[in-house]
Amino acid sequence: MKIKVISTGKYVPSRVVSNADFEKTIDTSDEWIVTRTGIKRRHFVNENENVVDLAYNAAIDAIKKGHVDVNEIDLIIVATITNQVRTPSVANLVQARLGLNQKNVMTFDMNAACSGFVYALEVASSLLNSSYHKKALIIGSEHMSSIIDFTDRGTCILFGDGAGAMIVEKSQNKTDEVFFYNASKGDDEGILWINPIVKMDGKEVYKFATDIMPKAIIEVLNRANLRLEEIDLIIPHQANLRIIQSVSKSMNLPMDKFLVNIDEYGNTSSASIPILIDEYKEKNKENKKVLLVGFGGGFTWGAAILNL
């Protein structure tokens, strides 16, 4: 498959919650949080903001940056686990806010937790290459503060709110070939569940993540017939700095091969990879071959190789 990335965008709420803020309400400290996670701050929604607002604002950012005619968008996929209603989907509501209700647009949400954006990117790429769709808007949007147990110090300090977006279209250019590896297994032991709030066995999640991320990287490289040396950057899901450092060490890769912004945003689930992509693109305009890799509840995991 071949897709061209037209533009990226993001939206992060202006309300910043520091580690010191958590010290006031639970038994924790800035040193404890930073040492174990790498997180210094996270952003929570402002009053009256919700997951649809986050998604819409990220979409508008991508549309403006790419000078995209919104009427050309005919596919919208939102990766999220925090929709406040069962239906309509966040994607449906973003469609309405963009004024596309009278257009032939396909919209739906995907629930693949922190792997959601990579899953959505593969689905969008497949639809663009096998149907009449021309231009896709893909969003990872999460209102994680709405599902946090603020009395559980092991989980509440981990998450933040935000959204990232990407607009892509089908390409005929050989350099725009994309490769994917997405997979899952059922977590029937309750290691990482949201029902209705986050419950997690941190040690087991860490063990799973540090095992599956190198495997996902190797698998997608094999599918692309590429070597690690041919990848300019690895853009990992931002769950825990120690996980990324473990992957770096186990694969004998320097940490500067990995993009990291967990210190500022915490874990924003499906939004973490697209937010990180947009931050990178704002500062770097040259074309790079990147590898996306994520893991999340489900369990789900996935990787992708594309040009940015």
Side-chain angles (χ1 to χ4, degrees):
M1 295 186 292
K2 302 180 184 69
I3 61 165
K4 179 181 179 181
V5 177
I6 300 171
S7 64
T8 63
K10 69 176 181 303
Y11 176 76
V12 180
S14 59
R15 179 186 169 200
V16 176
V17 179
S18 69
N19 292 342
D21 292 322
F22 278 100
E23 291 177 357
K24 302 171 185 175
T25 58
I26 57 173
D27 181 18
T28 193
S29 68
D30 176 68
E31 181 184 10
W32 190 91
I33 297 170
V34 173
T35 300
R36 287 162 178 77
T37 69
I39 300 168
K40 299 178 181 177
R41 292 169 295 277
R42 73 285 295 147
H43 296 242
F44 285 172
V45 296
N46 297 298
E47 188 176 0
N48 298 322
E49 278 186 322
N50 59 43
V51 68
V52 179
D53 299 311
L54 302 178
Y56 171 74
N57 286 322
I60 290 295
D61 191 39
I63 289 166
K64 289 180 177 179
K65 286 175 178 174
H67 306 287
V68 174
D69 180 353
V70 69
N71 293 296
E72 293 180 354
I73 295 170
D74 55 7
L75 174 63
I76 303 173
I77 306 175
V78 176
T80 187
I81 54 172
T82 53
N83 192 356
Q84 60 190 0
V85 297
R86 291 182 182 273
T87 194
S89 69
V90 174
N92 293 155
L93 297 175
V94 170
Q95 174 190 10
R97 290 199 188 183
L98 291 175
L100 296 176
N101 277 350
Q102 306 305 314
K103 306 292 181 179
N104 292 319
V105 183
M106 180 180 182
T107 66
F108 57 94
D109 288 355
M110 293 192 68
N111 179 342
C114 305
S115 310
F117 184 80
V118 182
Y119 268 49
L121 184 58
E122 179 171 14
V123 172
S125 300
S126 298
L127 286 169
L128 289 171
N129 278 270
S130 63
S131 68
Y132 294 104
H133 296 292
K134 304 296 183 184
K135 195 163 281 163
L137 168 62
I138 309 155
I139 306 169
S141 182
E142 300 290 10
H143 181 183
M144 295 301 294
S145 62
S146 69
I147 57 171
I148 290 173
D149 177 358
F150 283 96
T151 67
D152 180 2
R153 75 167 189 166
T155 59
C156 70
I157 50 91
L158 297 175
F159 299 100
D161 302 334
M166 180 183 288
I167 299 174
V168 300
E169 64 183 8
K170 184 177 179 180
S171 173
Q172 302 297 329
N173 193 329
K174 175 65 176 176
T175 61
D176 289 328
E177 194 165 10
V178 293
F179 301 91
F180 295 97
Y181 165 58
N182 285 306
S184 67
K185 71 171 185 176
D187 171 17
D188 56 0
E189 300 177 25
I191 296 170
L192 176 52
W193 280 47
I194 299 170
N195 185 32
I197 58 177
V198 177
K199 295 293 183 182
M200 181 177 72
D201 183 332
K203 290 182 179 178
E204 289 300 314
V205 171
Y206 181 88
K207 187 188 304 182
F208 163 72
T210 53
D211 174 66
I212 205 63
M213 286 183 70
K215 290 179 179 177
I217 291 170
I218 291 169
E219 178 63 28
V220 77
L221 285 169
N222 288 340
R223 293 187 178 192
N225 195 27
L226 292 171
R227 295 173 291 109
L228 265 174
E229 294 77 16
E230 297 175 88
I231 301 297
D232 295 310
L233 291 167
I234 297 175
I235 301 179
H237 167 51
Q238 304 292 292
N240 187 308
L241 181 60
R242 290 170 63 193
I243 291 173
I244 300 170
Q245 290 170 334
S246 175
V247 174
S248 169
K249 183 177 179 180
S250 68
M251 300 193 75
N252 196 29
L253 291 170
M255 270 300 291
D256 60 11
K257 187 91 167 180
F258 295 80
L259 292 186
V260 176
N261 66 0
I262 191 171
D263 59 322
E264 178 63 32
Y265 303 115
N267 181 349
T268 55
S269 188
S270 67
S272 78
I273 288 177
I275 288 174
L276 191 53
I277 289 172
D278 185 65
E279 280 202 331
Y280 173 76
K281 290 301 292 180
E282 285 180 335
K283 300 174 184 176
N284 301 274
K285 303 304 180 185
E286 67 273 18
N287 200 36
K288 296 285 188 180
K289 187 174 290 296
V290 303
L291 191 155
L292 318 180
V293 61
F295 66 93
F299 286 110
T300 62
W301 60 91
I305 295 174
L306 68 157
N307 286 324
L308 280 180

